[in-house]
Amino acid sequence: MREDPCIKSPVLYLQHQYELLQIEYEYEKEQFKQQTELMGIGRKIKRGMCWYPLNLGRNYYNALNQLVIEVERREDKDIEHQFEYGRPVCFFTQDVSGKLNYLNFVATVNYVDEDRMVVILPSVDALLALQSKEVVGVQLYFDETSYRLMFEALKQVVGAKNNRLAELRDIFHGTQPASTFSFHPLRFPWLNATQEEAVNKVLHAKDVAIVHGPPGTGKTTTLVEAVYETLHRENQVLVCAQSNMAVDWISEKLVDRGVSVLRIGNPSRVNDKMLSFTYERRFESHPDYPQLWSIRKAIRELYARSRKGAEREAVRQKINSLKDRATELEIRINESLFSEARVIACTLVGSANRLLTGQKFGTLFIDEAAQALEAACWIPIRKADRVILAGDHCQLPPTVKTPEALRAGLGHTLMQTIVKNKPDTVSLLKLQYRMNDEIMRFSSEWFYGGMLQSAPEVKYRSILDFDTPIEWINTEGLDCNEEFIGENYGRINKSEAELSIEQLKGYITKIGRERFLDERIDVGMISPYKAQVQYLRRLVRNDAFFKPYRQAITINTVDGFQGQERDVILISLVRANEEGQIGFLNDLRRMNVAITRARMKLIILGDASTLTRHAFYKKLYTYIESLHE
């Protein structure tokens, strides 16, 4: 753990985290300013932070009485974008010289799918400003709110005295032991032994418990069971995660288990199942809603009349009495929605939503806790008596953009701290249900002390008889050279990408085209570099061979594959140079994610002479070679 050695007390440690977060905040704000002012519109579009030009669609008031507008991108529809629910955006026009002129308001994403977005506007004036322009674009805006909430949470934790928050802080970071309830362990015959032990540890914890779930070990299954059992003892729990996608995933599994979930915020995948348990959809479906809608409509019409100067005083009195009635109805609907829900689910930042003001929970569950900055975890912890963290600190870390803050420990998560400081609160899930044993074994040895085992039903799984589950295609001497193409895209290795495509074609042909389609075999192509991902996508899209299989092939970065799995995985490592420079392939947690996505076949492409100068890749290469002997 890289931290200032003088930091001993929990309060000093958290003050240090606050200072590091400040550095990150200033850095990101400056980056955003430069991107806004200096970066060309083409690059912004390519990086997925901007849509231009837009079609403006209909505008209306949504169920929560917010003025929204639908927008759709007209071009570059195959570029993956970074827009998601809750993110702030700004609109702009472009003049003849190419200069961007920003409209004077910030809006918020309410829904987004591939090419369409619903955006919450701050006022009617904002709508009029938008509609007065001929051609507009939209781009991501600096997310001030998330930082503000993290700063507030850290301040509160640092200043906490003689309350539950102070106790939790001192247990997590200090020497105060974590206490437990004592009762006989419960049996869960449908779980394996380590999952059963983990659920029991959660139920016994008075302060904190950690479910450490390596790839494929059924972390979500275990967590859902722990939530379900906790609800026999408590009326309602709060379930959070860093990303909307992770919140969706756990919410969906809880709903499948028969638990009533209220999702604060909107899902990242907009489908009917996900939408059915969102707050907005439930609000709209409430029997009192039609009455509330008509009152709001009347208020808007009265406002329009009062603007025209018609009997102002009488109109204002009417508006006020209607507003009181609307507030009463809103409170009634909210009370009914919250009293029916057993699980309130949202992102860590989303837990600061005004709907949850003053709410307290016996238990808070944080999923994917190893991907969240510590400051973000404290936002919901302030509402809870005890905390259950689930995740894997040997997989994807939180995103920290400043090298200085990263070196000084901003990326060191609360989960890592508790794992180190309170090892007795941790349950490691040890039986994995995803991978062929030979694919799993390397990861188990390097990251988990050889503790993982393969369930009998997956141990020997393969697509072809007598196939080797892992191959390393050494690109050394094959003219596969990396190129550097700009700060944000990093590296590309076109020859290696083309070779990856040939490998995939060869493997599909070996399986047999019909069998590939009949058995719905799926494939993932992973590269740590965005430019390589885009190039691989283009190659697959333009190659007639892949036409029947396109639905079965996903191409993405390592982060894009978090939590997913495929029958066949190809990884293009890109780096090939004389100096043995491997850049962020040094982040071994990312590689752990990449190599553990495959169920039956893993093909790695990379220049062994460059990569094996690093101990991890040398050991991986040697391990794979030994399987072929």
Side-chain angles (χ1 to χ4, degrees):
M1 178 172 162
R2 299 190 215 87
E3 68 191 34
D4 189 328
C6 71
I7 293 170
K8 288 282 185 280
S9 87
V11 166
L12 283 176
Y13 178 83
L14 289 165
Q15 279 172 340
H16 183 59
Q17 285 284 309
Y18 189 98
E19 286 153 20
L20 297 179
L21 192 63
Q22 199 100 39
I23 293 169
E24 178 80 351
Y25 167 73
E26 298 297 347
Y27 175 83
E28 209 179 325
K29 198 170 182 179
E30 186 52 38
Q31 284 276 87
F32 174 78
K33 191 168 162 242
Q34 285 180 12
Q35 284 168 359
T36 305
E37 289 169 6
L38 305 175
M39 191 185 287
I41 194 162
R43 271 181 71 196
K44 284 182 187 173
I45 290 168
K46 273 209 173 95
R47 290 187 52 203
M49 55 188 284
C50 166
W51 288 357
Y52 182 85
L54 292 177
N55 286 328
L56 295 181
R58 65 195 186 108
N59 62 80
Y60 53 93
Y61 283 88
N62 68 8
L64 307 183
N65 208 27
Q66 296 158 323
L67 177 58
V68 298
I69 187 165
E70 293 179 0
V71 302
E72 189 180 8
R73 60 172 161 179
R74 285 190 225 163
E75 295 164 18
D76 306 294
K77 293 193 172 192
D78 58 340
I79 292 176
E80 250 189 271
H81 62 76
Q82 298 174 41
F83 293 99
E84 63 171 309
Y85 165 78
R87 293 198 72 171
V89 293
C90 52
F91 289 89
F92 62 85
T93 58
Q94 188 176 26
D95 62 25
V96 281
S97 67
K99 184 174 178 291
L100 301 188
N101 301 303
Y102 291 91
L103 276 62
N104 195 15
F105 64 86
V106 177
T108 312
V109 178
N110 194 35
Y111 272 137
V112 63
D113 53 31
E114 253 71 283
D115 304 307
R116 194 183 69 94
M117 195 158 29
V118 179
V119 179
I120 303 167
L121 297 173
S123 65
V124 175
D125 292 342
L127 175 65
L128 296 173
L130 256 184
Q131 288 174 331
S132 69
K133 309 295 178 202
E134 266 182 46
V135 185
V136 289
V138 64
Q139 80 165 55
L140 285 171
Y141 193 72
F142 178 61
D143 192 355
E144 193 85 48
T145 310
S146 297
Y147 276 106
R148 182 176 54 74
L149 293 170
M150 287 193 281
F151 285 130
E152 275 172 17
L154 280 179
K155 251 189 201 150
Q156 202 175 331
V157 181
V158 164
K161 281 189 178 67
N162 307 324
N163 61 9
R164 185 58 178 151
L165 190 59
E167 278 174 15
L168 289 175
R169 174 195 67 205
D170 297 342
I171 291 165
F172 298 169
H173 283 287
T175 51
Q176 203 175 322
S179 49
T180 53
F181 298 106
S182 57
F183 53 83
H184 281 301
L186 301 177
R187 292 301 321 276
F188 303 100
W190 55 92
L191 299 178
N192 69 44
T194 56
Q195 291 173 331
E196 181 174 272
E197 192 186 313
V199 174
N200 273 297
K201 194 158 259 194
V202 167
L203 299 175
H204 283 84
K206 261 186 190 170
D207 307 310
V208 64
I210 287 181
V211 179
H212 180 188
T217 53
K219 169 181 68 74
T220 306
T221 305
T222 309
L223 198 58
V224 164
E225 209 51 56
V227 171
Y228 189 80
E229 279 303 316
T230 302
L231 289 171
H232 289 331
R233 298 158 175 74
E234 296 171 26
N235 188 41
Q236 197 175 61
V237 299
L238 181 60
V239 174
C240 293
Q242 168 69 17
S243 68
N244 277 301
M245 208 184 284
V247 179
D248 294 346
W249 182 245
I250 184 95
S251 299
E252 205 172 333
K253 297 295 169 208
L254 284 163
V255 168
D256 290 347
R257 188 74 170 84
V259 177
S260 96
V261 173
L262 185 61
R263 167 82 161 92
I264 308 290
N266 279 330
S268 54
R269 297 193 314 284
V270 181
N271 62 36
D272 280 344
K273 183 180 176 185
M274 303 297 301
L275 287 173
S276 63
F277 48 85
T278 63
Y279 171 77
E280 197 170 317
R281 184 63 68 87
R282 288 270 173 89
F283 193 93
E284 215 171 1
S285 312
H286 193 275
D288 285 343
Y289 177 72
Q291 192 188 346
L292 176 62
W293 189 86
S294 52
I295 292 172
R296 285 169 171 174
K297 188 169 177 248
I299 292 172
R300 283 196 289 274
E301 284 164 358
L302 285 167
Y303 266 125
R305 265 178 58 193
S306 73
R307 277 202 198 97
K308 292 175 186 141
E311 330 91 39
R312 280 203 176 154
E313 192 49 45
V315 170
R316 198 162 67 239
Q317 279 178 357
K318 190 93 197 287
I319 287 174
N320 287 340
S321 77
L322 283 173
K323 271 186 168 174
D324 290 345
R325 181 78 189 107
T327 305
E328 258 171 59
L329 278 171
E330 262 182 67
I331 290 169
R332 198 157 83 200
I333 296 174
N334 276 339
E335 277 175 354
S336 129
L337 295 184
F338 275 92
S339 64
E340 285 163 19
R342 303 295 310 277
V343 168
I344 306 297
C346 56
T347 60
L348 297 166
V349 168
S351 68
N353 191 301
R354 64 176 180 82
L355 292 167
L356 297 178
T357 306
Q359 294 264 62
K360 278 293 201 187
F361 297 89
T363 306
L364 160 69
F365 290 86
I366 301 180
D367 195 11
E368 298 298 3
Q371 269 186 276
L373 289 175
E374 168 154 0
C377 291
W378 285 107
I379 300 172
I381 291 174
R382 296 173 298 173
K383 297 181 180 303
D385 275 333
R386 63 180 203 128
V387 183
I388 311 303
L389 302 158
D392 180 9
H393 48 286
C394 304
Q395 291 187 63
L396 291 183
T399 305
V400 176
K401 293 179 178 160
T402 335
E404 181 193 347
L406 187 62
R407 274 195 305 275
L410 182 62
H412 193 87
T413 62
L414 182 61
M415 180 164 164
Q416 280 171 294
T417 295
I418 299 169
V419 165
K420 191 176 171 203
N421 199 12
K422 300 281 183 288
D424 51 331
T425 65
V426 182
S427 302
L428 175 68
L429 304 179
K430 294 177 187 166
L431 191 63
Q432 70 85 21
Y433 299 89
R434 175 183 299 163
M435 294 160 267
N436 177 295
D437 194 63
E438 289 180 354
I439 297 174
M440 177 215 69
R441 206 177 316 139
F442 179 80
S443 171
S444 173
E445 295 294 336
W446 185 279
F447 293 99
Y448 307 102
M451 307 271 286
L452 303 191
Q453 292 172 327
S454 301
E457 61 265 36
V458 303
K459 195 166 188 175
Y460 303 111
R461 66 184 339 185
S462 68
I463 299 172
L464 299 169
D465 294 339
F466 312 113
D467 196 5
T468 313
I470 318 185
E471 287 178 55
W472 183 312
I473 310 295
N474 184 5
T475 60
E476 190 182 333
L478 297 179
D479 279 340
C480 290
N481 302 314
E482 63 173 85
E483 300 167 54
F484 180 68
I485 56 158
E487 264 330 292
N488 299 302
Y489 274 98
R491 315 272 159 176
I492 191 169
N493 187 329
K494 290 182 176 174
S495 309
E496 187 176 287
E498 285 148 20
L499 188 59
S500 306
I501 297 296
E502 290 311 310
Q503 284 292 325
L504 180 55
K505 279 184 185 174
Y507 199 67
I508 290 174
T509 307
K510 241 186 202 174
I511 294 166
R513 294 173 170 225
E514 274 182 33
R515 183 184 161 206
F516 187 92
L517 293 169
D518 289 348
E519 294 184 15
R520 298 195 169 173
I521 291 167
D522 53 9
V523 175
M525 298 188 87
I526 302 179
S527 179
Y529 293 95
K530 279 184 192 164
Q532 190 79 341
V533 166
Q534 301 248 4
Y535 189 61
L536 284 164
R537 282 181 184 155
R538 202 177 321 143
L539 291 174
V540 167
R541 197 170 54 242
N542 296 339
D543 193 325
F545 175 92
F546 292 110
K547 199 163 184 206
Y549 316 115
R550 278 188 201 138
Q551 294 304 307
I553 301 169
T554 314
I555 306 170
N556 216 327
T557 56
V558 183
D559 297 49
F561 267 100
Q562 170 76 345
Q564 298 187 42
E565 54 188 75
R566 296 289 185 276
D567 296 323
V568 182
I569 289 282
L570 288 92
I571 305 173
S572 168
L573 293 174
V574 174
R575 301 308 296 258
N577 55 65
E578 303 276 312
E579 301 75 42
Q581 295 288 327
I582 62 168
F584 68 55
L585 293 190
N586 276 306
D587 188 345
L588 304 182
R589 290 178 291 183
R590 276 201 157 72
M591 281 317 296
N592 186 29
V593 173
I595 63 179
T596 55
R597 300 305 96 195
R599 297 187 194 106
M600 299 187 250
K601 179 73 173 182
L602 174 62
I603 301 170
I604 297 171
L605 292 98
D607 183 319
S609 65
T610 301
L611 290 150
T612 55
R613 297 189 205 180
H614 188 293
F616 172 86
Y617 295 97
K618 183 172 185 170
K619 186 138 190 210
L620 178 59
Y621 189 70
T622 312
Y623 170 73
I624 294 169
E625 289 295 288
S626 73
L627 300 176
H628 290 258
E629 285 165 5

